[in-house]
Amino acid sequence: MRQEVRTGLAPEPAPFSHAVIANGILFTAHLPIRPDGSAETGSATEQAELALSNLKHAVEAAGATLDDVAQVILYITRIEDKPAIDEVYA
């Protein structure tokens, strides 16, 4: 059974949900989207902070915490941004 989690986050500019529970597992995907629905286009640090904040918000809306997260996959388009993103992720 698939259950959409109501996160209260801005609608994504793509046809998917912020968070869905299926067979007891939470699936979530995030972009650096501000509450008004606009994309954060600033530095890699700013984008990572917003995307990970949105992740935290969605996980908590599903009744869990970041301690419950088993895996995070980050897509980095500029390898030189990795140190800044790693600092935010840590």
Side-chain angles (χ1 to χ4, degrees):
M1 174 182 241
R2 178 184 183 281
Q3 172 191 352
E4 185 174 338
V5 176
R6 302 235 181 256
T7 63
L9 294 170
E12 290 281 2
F16 63 85
S17 303
H18 286 285
V20 173
I21 297 173
N23 296 322
I25 300 171
L26 174 66
F27 296 89
T28 180
H30 298 280
L31 299 169
I33 302 296
R34 297 181 191 101
D36 67 1
S38 64
E40 173 59 68
T41 59
S43 70
T45 298
E46 292 168 321
Q47 291 182 44
E49 287 172 344
L50 184 54
L52 292 172
S53 173
N54 289 345
L55 167 66
K56 181 177 186 284
H57 188 87
V59 167
E60 290 174 351
T65 70
L66 289 179
D67 289 336
D68 298 311
V69 174
Q71 181 179 20
V72 174
I73 298 172
L74 302 173
Y75 294 98
I76 301 170
T77 58
R78 291 172 21 104
I79 195 64
E80 53 271 11
D81 291 333
K82 188 176 182 308
I85 294 167
D86 285 346
E87 188 172 319
V88 173
Y89 185 74

